[in-house]
Amino acid sequence: TTNVSKKKAVVSTQSTGDEYKVGDISSFLNASSTDSLKSSNELFSSIQPTIAVEEVYAKPVSIPVSVKGKRPKKTKIIEDEPEEPKFPKLSPDEQLEIDKRTLFIGNLPVGLKRKQLRKLFQDYGKIASLRFRSVAISDLKLGRKICLKTNKINENALNKNAYIVFEHEECLDKALSKNGSMVNDHCIRVDKVVKSRQQVKDDSKNSIFIGNIPFAATEEEVRAALVQCGEIEYVRLLRDAKTNIGKGFGYVKFVDSSGVMFAMKIKDNVEVNGRKLRIQRCKSKITLENTKKAKELKAKKKEEAQASFRGRKSKSSDKSAFQSKKPRSHNKKVDPDKRPKKNKVMTKHKFDKKVNKASKKGGPASRKGRQEK
């Protein structure tokens, strides 16, 4: 690239002394060569211009210079550094630490606002953040974010959920006392997000699975149908996240395992809105994981047993296993008494023949005869 600059020259001519007279040029042209040189010097020496130059430089412009056989190099544009995201990704340990301080609140009224929910739990500790979830929207085409900003919420929705993050983990134990309390005719469910293995086992022992629930049924209706079994800790019905319509199944947790025993006795006589419920015992996640692992191990063992030695090298352990096994003898003598019994009845004639054959070969009949002798 070459830097090109423009120059602006301002020239001012000023005559000093002699001035131009008419006939000077014509007399100069008619004169001889020697006289013309002298007169030309005299003519132009009489005019002495003074030149004042003012230089004005323009901004440098980058112009690519092309070379034969080579393309001009592209100028590299240095981009600005990307801005940091508002919500950076957390490591698993950081996310677990936040989840331990998080409280789940279910079956909240749809019209409940943030300030009202904050007032309910602000006495138990300082709240770091609060968010609503499972809010049913009226227009699925617009999307959840736009509907929430424009307040397009489904008025026929039954409930919604929320998460509260406290600054200290100790606040969760105090806030659990709100479980089962009534908020605008809704019995709310309060529970921890992270639980220990023992708590998961206890939940499964005191819980039952309910199927064939009407889609429009509420938690209060299911609770009323099973109150006779015992004191209920919470009712959990699974719903669609977008429409908030029930999926037809859920869980009920009792305070004691006696409630589960009584529910299994009357499982054929429980109805909700004229629909008969299907009740089963719950299995904990831990037992289900253990059964899956056990099945996988059994499948691996079968594959190893069925696999032949073709295509892989034999190991010392395989050789020792084959050496320890004794080869089977195909010509074994089988006693008639030890043979498997058949369903057919043996006649007396056939039985006598078999006894005689055995006595000749030194069977049990011949031994008895020798002993008697």
Side-chain angles (χ1 to χ4, degrees):
T1 59
T2 58
N3 293 328
V4 179
S5 60
K6 295 180 180 179
K7 293 183 180 180
K8 184 179 179 182
V10 179
V11 180
S12 62
T13 58
Q14 296 177 0
S15 59
T16 57
D18 301 329
E19 293 182 357
Y20 171 73
K21 294 178 182 180
V22 180
D24 289 341
I25 295 173
S26 61
S27 62
F28 168 72
L29 294 172
N30 293 325
S32 61
S33 61
T34 56
D35 295 336
S36 64
L37 288 171
K38 293 179 181 178
S39 60
S40 64
N41 291 330
E42 292 176 357
L43 177 64
F44 289 103
S45 63
S46 62
I47 302 169
Q48 294 180 359
T50 58
I51 298 171
V53 180
E54 294 180 1
E55 293 182 353
V56 180
Y57 295 94
K59 292 181 180 179
V61 180
S62 60
I63 300 171
V65 179
S66 60
V67 184
K68 288 184 179 180
K70 292 184 180 180
R71 291 183 180 179
K73 293 182 179 179
K74 294 181 179 180
T75 56
K76 293 183 179 180
I77 300 169
I78 300 170
E79 297 180 354
D80 296 334
E81 294 181 357
E83 295 180 358
E84 293 183 358
K86 293 181 180 179
F87 303 101
K89 289 185 179 181
L90 301 173
S91 64
D93 295 334
E94 291 175 348
Q95 187 63 45
L96 181 61
E97 194 272 331
I98 293 170
D99 292 341
K100 286 180 180 179
R101 297 185 282 110
T102 306
L103 192 73
F104 171 81
I105 305 103
N107 196 27
L108 288 169
V110 177
L112 193 73
K113 296 182 179 179
R114 291 177 180 272
K115 291 181 179 179
Q116 296 174 347
L117 183 61
R118 192 179 287 273
K119 283 182 181 179
L120 290 172
F121 291 92
Q122 66 183 1
D123 297 335
Y124 301 110
K126 195 172 181 180
I127 295 171
S129 64
L130 185 149
R131 62 186 185 274
F132 285 112
R133 289 291 181 271
S134 305
V135 181
I137 57 178
S138 59
D139 195 352
L140 298 175
K141 292 181 180 179
L142 291 176
R144 182 172 292 277
K145 289 183 179 180
I146 297 170
C147 288
L148 292 175
K149 286 181 180 179
T150 55
N151 201 18
K152 291 184 178 181
I153 298 169
N154 189 2
E155 295 178 356
N156 298 324
L158 300 172
N159 55 20
K160 63 182 178 180
N161 303 325
Y163 292 90
I164 295 176
V165 181
F166 289 94
E167 289 191 355
H168 301 287
E169 190 177 348
E170 299 170 356
C171 303
L172 295 181
D173 296 330
K174 299 176 184 178
L176 288 174
S177 60
K178 276 282 185 184
N179 184 36
S181 58
M182 299 298 293
V183 178
N184 298 343
D185 299 332
H186 283 253
C187 186
I188 64 172
R189 173 196 166 201
V190 182
D191 201 0
K192 291 181 179 180
V193 173
V194 178
K195 293 183 179 181
S196 62
R197 293 176 70 87
Q198 188 61 37
Q199 288 175 344
V200 173
K201 285 183 180 180
D202 294 340
D203 290 350
S204 61
K205 286 179 183 178
N206 302 336
S207 301
I208 58 171
F209 170 82
I210 304 172
N212 200 31
I213 302 171
F215 297 139
T218 61
E219 282 79 354
E220 286 73 24
E221 291 174 350
V222 176
R223 184 184 287 270
L226 294 168
V227 164
Q228 55 184 338
C229 299
E231 189 179 353
I232 296 171
E233 188 172 338
Y234 63 79
V235 178
R236 179 191 170 199
L237 300 182
L238 276 77
R239 301 181 183 277
D240 186 53
K242 294 180 180 179
T243 59
N244 202 20
I245 297 171
K247 293 184 177 180
F249 62 94
Y251 300 90
V252 176
K253 184 187 176 186
F254 295 94
V255 176
D256 299 323
S257 59
S258 59
V260 178
M261 298 293 291
F262 193 75
M264 296 305 295
K265 289 181 181 179
I266 64 166
K267 65 180 181 179
D268 298 328
N269 302 319
V270 182
E271 292 184 359
V272 173
N273 296 340
R275 199 164 184 174
K276 193 175 179 181
L277 300 180
R278 186 176 75 254
I279 299 172
Q280 296 176 355
R281 289 178 180 272
C282 281
K283 290 184 179 180
S284 66
K285 292 180 180 179
I286 298 166
T287 54
L288 291 171
E289 288 175 0
N290 291 337
T291 52
K292 285 181 181 178
K293 288 179 181 178
K295 287 180 180 179
E296 289 176 359
L297 288 171
K298 284 182 181 178
K300 284 182 180 180
K301 286 181 180 178
K302 282 184 179 179
E303 288 177 0
E304 289 176 359
Q306 291 174 0
S308 63
F309 289 96
R310 293 177 183 177
R312 69 180 182 89
K313 293 181 179 180
S314 60
K315 299 178 183 178
S316 60
S317 59
D318 298 331
K319 292 177 182 178
S320 61
F322 276 99
Q323 287 173 2
S324 61
K325 291 182 181 179
K326 294 180 180 179
R328 292 181 180 180
S329 59
H330 297 286
N331 300 323
K332 273 190 175 182
K333 292 182 180 180
V334 182
D335 294 335
D337 298 334
K338 291 182 180 181
R339 284 180 181 176
K341 294 180 180 180
K342 296 181 181 180
N343 294 330
K344 293 181 181 180
V345 180
M346 189 179 288
T347 59
K348 189 178 180 182
H349 181 68
K350 287 183 178 180
F351 181 74
D352 293 338
K353 278 185 177 182
K354 286 187 177 181
V355 171
N356 293 330
K357 284 181 181 179
S359 62
K360 288 179 181 178
K361 292 180 181 179
S366 62
R367 289 174 188 170
K368 287 181 181 178
R370 290 173 187 173
Q371 288 175 2
E372 288 176 359
K373 288 178 183 181

